């Protein structure tokens, strides 16, 4: 993926600034309509926790949803996951997992819901995909008897009321250039952070200091947690057998990734002390064709790599089997909250008890 030179970047940002101004006005007006209850949100009969962000790109939302789902399941809650399923090739509502069996395929569900469904099967947590999260919420309650719902990527989805808003931000450069789409990474103005209750900062353990310039006062009332990405093990794609992290120490590998923040994966690989021959970047949620996989395999062989490596999220998006002569592995990574059990219990459980969504009715003309 080509990177802009600094002067090119400044020109592109300048050209896109009028569109960013229009986008800011639209988002500000939309939020005002909800704040004034001109557009009314829907309240469901059980608590709702939203996990989201205000920037595009990977901030660890879905791994955080998994951490929260495991925690509340262990606390005795009947948890349900509601997600939109970005990148899927289907419409309408899809049950990814009923808590007993993973039912759908990646093209129908999207990559992240499928990974959540597999990881949370031991906890019998249903995962539902649908653009209309009000409808999926009602189904999770009525069909699967859920008494707590976790909304994945829900900060901007204000049509469904929530008891707790959790905002996930990258530790390194959390707001990018602080400009709104399409001139920057912000999905909403920074003052939208005032809606949040809990801030979770995600990154690698050796991440540079956080720069909250211009947004610190918006975050003052929020409880702050830190979460670090921790590599767990290598998984061989062909048979799902697992291997220790030292498998490729001082050995040459070729890597590729199509995720929201591919450079974070590249940094994880560098910490594993392997020799990275090359690293190809694809768009987030990209489904790999047979031709693309063949190209990757051929190039890795030319580079004299001993293996090809990628992320778990990428490994579920192959449209054909891996036929390369070199073995393909994906790295299993988990998000770990510092002081996880104690801090989640201290921060979140009181919020669920004290924060009650206001009683308002649905308006079907909402965005």
């Amino acid at each position: 993926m080509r990177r802009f030179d600094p002067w090119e970047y400044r020109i592109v940002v300048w050209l896109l600034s009028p569109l960013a101004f229009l986008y800011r006005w639209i988002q500000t007006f939309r939020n005002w309509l909800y704040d004034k209850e001109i557009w009314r949100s829907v309240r469901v009969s059980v608590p709702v926790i939203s996990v989201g962000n205000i920037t595009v790109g990977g901030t660890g939302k879905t791994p955080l949803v998994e951490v929260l789902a495991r925690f509340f399941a262990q606390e005795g809650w009947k948890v349900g996951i509601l997600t939109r399923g970005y990148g899927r090739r289907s419409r309408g509502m899809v049950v990814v997992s009923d808590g007993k069996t993973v039912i759908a395929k990646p093209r129908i569900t999207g990559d992240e819901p499928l990974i959540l469904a597999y990881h949370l099967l031991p906890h019998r947590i249903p995962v539902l995909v649908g653009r209309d999260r009000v409808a999926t919420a009602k189904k999770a309650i009525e069909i699967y008897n859920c008494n707590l719902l976790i909304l994945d990527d829900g900060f901007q989805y204000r049509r469904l009321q929530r008891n707790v808003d959790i905002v996930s931000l990258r530790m390194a450069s959390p707001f990018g250039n602080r400009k709104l789409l399409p001139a920057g990474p912000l999905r909403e103005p920074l003052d939208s952070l005032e809606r949040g209750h809990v801030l979770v900062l995600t990154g690698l353990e050796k991440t540079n200091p956080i720069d909250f310039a211009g947004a610190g006062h918006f975050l003052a009332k929020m409880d702050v947690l830190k979460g670090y990405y921790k590599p767990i093990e290598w998984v061989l794609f062909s048979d799902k057998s697992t291997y220790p992290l030292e498998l490729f120490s001082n050995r040459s590998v070729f890597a590729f990734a199509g995720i929201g923040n591919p450079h974070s994966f590249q940094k994880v690989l560098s910490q594993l002390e392997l020799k990275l021959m090359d690293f190809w970047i694809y768009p987030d949620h990209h489904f790999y064709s047979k031709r693309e996989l063949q190209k990757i395999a051929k190039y890795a062989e030319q580079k004299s790599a001993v293996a090809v490596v990628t992320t778990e999220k990428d490994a579920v998006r192959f449209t054909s089997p891996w036929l390369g002569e070199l073995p393909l592995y994906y790295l299993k990574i988990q998000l770990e909250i510092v002081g996880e059990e104690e801090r989640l219990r201290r921060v979140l459980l009181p919020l669920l008890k004290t924060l009650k969504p206001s009683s308002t009715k649905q308006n079907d003309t909402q965005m």
Side-chain angles (χ1 to χ4, degrees):
M1 180 179 290
R2 178 180 179 272
R3 291 191 179 186
F4 288 115
D5 292 328
W7 66 271
E8 291 178 308
Y9 173 78
R10 287 194 291 270
I11 291 175
V12 170
V13 169
W14 180 77
L15 290 173
L16 293 175
S17 292
L19 292 177
F21 176 81
L22 177 61
Y23 180 82
R24 174 188 290 273
W25 186 89
I26 292 171
Q27 289 299 318
T28 300
F29 182 61
R30 177 179 180 271
N31 283 329
W32 180 83
L33 290 172
Y34 275 110
D35 292 340
K36 299 300 181 181
E37 295 189 358
I38 298 170
W39 284 355
R40 297 185 178 183
S41 303
V42 178
R43 177 182 180 179
V44 293
S45 58
V46 304
V48 176
I49 297 175
S50 167
V51 177
N53 63 10
I54 64 165
T55 61
V56 296
T59 61
K61 298 184 301 295
T62 302
L64 179 57
V65 167
E66 182 181 338
V67 169
L68 296 173
R70 288 199 310 265
F71 169 76
F72 283 107
Q74 291 166 357
E75 290 287 317
W77 295 80
K78 176 62 176 175
V79 181
I81 306 294
L82 313 178
T83 179
R84 180 168 179 173
Y86 289 100
R88 65 184 177 129
R89 309 292 174 85
S90 64
R91 295 183 178 183
M93 186 188 307
V94 176
V95 177
V96 186
S97 169
D98 60 3
K100 301 175 184 177
T101 307
V102 176
I103 302 169
K105 302 295 182 183
R107 278 184 174 272
I108 298 174
T109 67
D111 47 19
E112 292 167 340
L114 193 66
I115 291 173
L116 279 173
Y118 278 117
H119 287 189
L120 296 174
L121 266 183
H123 301 284
R124 304 176 71 85
I125 295 175
V127 179
L128 288 79
V129 163
R131 183 175 182 178
D132 185 350
R133 257 71 72 85
V134 172
T136 54
K138 291 178 179 178
K139 182 164 185 175
I141 296 167
E142 295 169 4
I143 305 300
Y144 301 111
N145 299 314
C146 296
N147 59 15
L148 175 65
L149 302 177
I150 301 179
L151 187 60
D152 185 15
D153 196 13
F155 194 62
Q156 285 75 39
Y157 192 83
R158 299 191 63 181
R159 185 165 167 252
L160 179 63
Q161 291 187 31
R162 66 290 313 274
N163 297 68
V164 181
D165 253 316
I166 299 176
V167 179
S168 174
L169 291 175
R170 286 194 293 265
M171 290 183 185
S173 187
F175 310 118
N177 63 3
R178 291 178 170 77
K179 296 184 181 298
L180 270 75
L181 292 168
L186 291 178
R187 301 165 72 178
E188 292 188 68
L190 289 178
D191 58 9
S192 298
L193 289 169
E194 293 179 333
R195 301 200 309 269
H197 301 111
V198 180
L199 174 66
V200 179
L201 302 170
T202 63
L204 304 176
E205 290 194 70
K206 297 181 180 180
T207 302
N208 293 327
I210 303 158
D211 179 13
F212 282 139
H217 60 291
F218 297 129
L219 307 174
K221 69 172 185 176
M222 300 172 72
D223 288 293
V224 180
L225 304 176
K226 290 184 179 180
Y228 295 110
Y229 298 114
K230 181 179 180 181
I232 304 299
E233 60 192 2
W234 291 105
V235 182
L236 182 62
F237 180 77
S238 60
D239 64 7
K240 302 301 183 287
S241 54
T242 59
Y243 298 86
L245 295 175
E246 298 78 19
L247 179 64
F248 298 117
S249 293
N250 298 314
R251 302 176 73 190
S252 301
V253 302
F254 170 79
F256 67 96
I259 56 177
N261 185 14
H263 298 293
S264 66
F265 177 56
Q266 192 173 10
K267 289 179 181 178
V268 170
L269 294 178
S270 67
Q271 293 180 359
L272 295 179
E273 299 182 351
L274 47 75
K275 297 178 181 178
L276 190 59
M277 305 304 293
D278 208 340
F279 185 80
W280 285 3
I281 297 175
Y282 291 85
D284 195 11
H285 306 294
H286 178 71
F287 282 89
Y288 296 90
S289 66
K290 181 178 180 180
R291 185 175 180 179
E292 287 173 322
L293 294 175
Q294 289 174 335
K295 183 178 180 181
I296 290 170
K298 183 178 180 180
Y299 185 81
E301 292 166 12
Q302 292 173 348
K303 285 290 184 177
S304 300
V306 299
V308 179
V309 301
T310 189
T311 72
E312 183 177 13
K313 182 177 169 180
D314 287 283
V316 303
R317 287 188 264 110
F318 292 178
T319 60
S320 70
W322 174 256
L323 300 176
E325 293 185 9
L326 294 178
L328 172 70
Y329 294 81
Y330 62 82
L331 184 61
K332 193 166 185 179
I333 298 176
Q334 289 183 353
L335 182 69
E336 292 193 353
I337 305 297
V338 177
E340 179 175 316
E341 185 173 345
E342 178 184 347
R343 298 211 66 190
L344 289 176
R345 183 176 287 108
R346 180 180 64 80
V347 171
L348 293 178
L349 293 181
L351 283 173
L352 284 179
K353 294 177 181 178
T354 59
L355 291 174
K356 304 294 184 183
S358 59
S359 178
T360 55
K361 295 181 181 179
Q362 178 178 353
N363 183 335
D364 290 329
T365 63
Q366 301 158 14
M367 292 176 67

